[in-house]
Amino acid sequence: MAETTVTLAGGTEMPLVGIGTWQLSGASGYNAVRKALDIGYRHIDTATMYLNEAVVGRAVRDSGVPRKELFITTKLPPAKVGRERKTLEESLHDLGTEYVDLWLIHWPPRDGASPGTWQHFLDARQEHLARAVGVSNYSTAQIDQLVAATGQAPEVNQIRWGPSLFDSRRLEESREREVVLEGYSPFKSTNLRNQVLTEIAAAHGVSAAQVVLRWHLEHGIVVIPKSARAERIATNFDVFSFTLTPDEVTRIDALAHIGPR
Ligand SMILES: NC(=O)c1ccc[n+]([C@@H]2O[C@H](COP(=O)([O-])OP(=O)(O)OC[C@H]3O[C@@H](n4cnc5c(N)ncnc54)[C@H](OP(=O)(O)O)[C@@H]3O)[C@@H](O)[C@H]2O)c1
């Protein structure tokens, strides 16, 4: 049985596959999150900026899934720097929860890495309002600035990732700092008709989309595909019953050299 979670530096278990919720709001957001929870997803990625935390919260409550089985991520937008604590409290209120599992700085604020904001995140973890804390869209140099200022590395860096963006050095730099990479927009950055992907998909009797998601997992990278369609929500989660060979992983890694074709 393939691994379904990764252990973060602070000890929190993070499910490797979550449902992305950007542009999922209203009834379609509610239905997508309910569907995801019904078929077994336990990880939901939202953000203050997505304006859907209340919808996510309602879907979670109605699902009946116990809170402690869930992993909920939300993110602080740069515009809320200076109001970190209040913004987190609003997220918790809207989500209907006493804590989030992961709180991320959504983008580096205008003045760069922003160790002052990072200190608020560390305080929130200390106070059990967030089980884990991290960043998104940060460079390795910006992560190093946070470590230099506070002695604490983010547990996660959520960045745009996919075969066409594969960067072994970035991955290595993250591992060295015990920062788990979480990839977003796995499909938007990928041509799902690429021949390498379709050949590998045919060999396993799965879709190219499933191959892309499985490829993230082979690298220990968390992935959060978004779909509003029930059948895709289901197949995007069906990536634990097959594995890719080292040779297949290497062929997909090499797609970074030709771009998203
Ligand atoms: N931290 C950040 O700055 C940041 C930025 C962007 C995204 N994110 C997070 O990452 C999540 C995922 O990224 P994303 O929403 O940008 O893009 P994505 O998950 O790569 O792609 C979503 C698109 O792919 C389609 N799709 C879904 N499953 C598919 C499948 N099996 N086969 C073919 N097409 C499929 C969806 O259409 P349908 O809905 O019609 O199925 C939608 O058009 C977001 O929802 C958000 O939670 C974070």
Side-chain angles (χ1 to χ4, degrees):
M1 176 70 181
E3 289 293 332
T4 60
T5 64
V6 59
T7 307
L8 303 181
T12 306
E13 290 288 312
M14 180 174 189
L16 282 161
V17 178
I19 178 137
T21 69
W22 184 36
Q23 296 171 321
L24 280 178
S25 55
S28 70
Y30 178 86
N31 291 334
V33 174
R34 280 298 304 273
K35 172 72 187 172
L37 294 174
D38 282 352
I39 65 157
Y41 286 76
R42 290 294 177 264
H43 170 182
I44 306 168
D45 183 80
T46 182
T48 294
M49 213 183 260
Y50 303 166
L51 302 175
N52 64 4
E53 289 170 309
V55 163
V56 169
R58 192 157 54 82
V60 163
R61 259 192 315 285
D62 293 352
S63 75
V65 177
R67 174 65 185 89
K68 63 178 187 325
E69 287 182 19
L70 293 170
F71 190 100
I72 302 176
T73 300
T74 196
K75 316 185 191 82
L76 176 90
K80 298 285 188 182
V81 164
R83 283 168 290 167
E84 292 86 353
R85 180 58 174 254
K86 186 169 185 302
T87 306
L88 177 58
E89 285 168 1
E90 287 166 359
S91 288
L92 296 176
H93 174 268
D94 287 353
L95 287 163
T97 181
E98 289 174 2
Y99 63 90
V100 287
D101 297 277
L102 179 62
W103 192 31
L104 302 176
I105 305 179
H106 204 148
W107 289 87
R110 224 173 309 155
D111 61 349
S114 205
T117 294
W118 182 233
Q119 188 58 55
H120 284 285
F121 276 59
L122 298 174
D123 294 346
R125 183 175 63 187
Q126 187 73 29
E127 293 169 46
H128 307 292
L129 298 177
R131 292 177 67 223
V133 287
V135 295
S136 179
N137 300 300
Y138 269 57
S139 67
T140 301
Q142 287 169 326
I143 286 174
D144 286 343
Q145 285 174 42
L146 297 184
V147 176
T150 65
Q152 297 281 321
E155 292 173 76
V156 171
N157 188 15
Q158 185 183 113
I159 59 174
R160 193 171 166 92
W161 196 260
S164 69
L165 300 168
F166 179 70
D167 179 347
S168 59
R169 213 180 81 183
R170 190 81 191 271
L171 190 50
E172 193 51 39
E173 288 170 352
S174 297
R175 285 214 181 104
E176 284 166 4
R177 290 160 179 76
E178 297 192 325
V179 178
V180 168
L181 277 192
E182 177 176 17
Y184 70 69
S185 302
F187 303 137
K188 284 183 183 163
S189 60
T190 305
N191 174 8
L192 293 175
R193 287 192 294 264
N194 175 281
Q195 202 184 334
V196 170
L197 298 177
T198 55
E199 276 176 22
I200 294 172
H204 291 276
V206 298
S207 67
Q210 287 169 303
V211 168
V212 168
L213 299 174
R214 184 69 227 173
W215 168 81
H216 284 72
L217 309 194
E218 302 296 355
H219 281 298
I221 296 175
V222 179
V223 67
I224 43 173
K226 170 263 172 187
S227 179
R229 305 190 201 186
E231 72 282 5
R232 285 179 172 174
I233 293 171
T235 55
N236 290 346
F237 195 64
D238 184 12
V239 291
F240 298 102
S241 57
F242 70 102
T243 55
L244 302 177
T245 66
D247 178 58
E248 288 169 336
V249 171
T250 304
R251 287 174 67 202
I252 300 171
D253 293 350
L255 295 178
H257 301 300
I258 61 164
R261 275 180 282 152

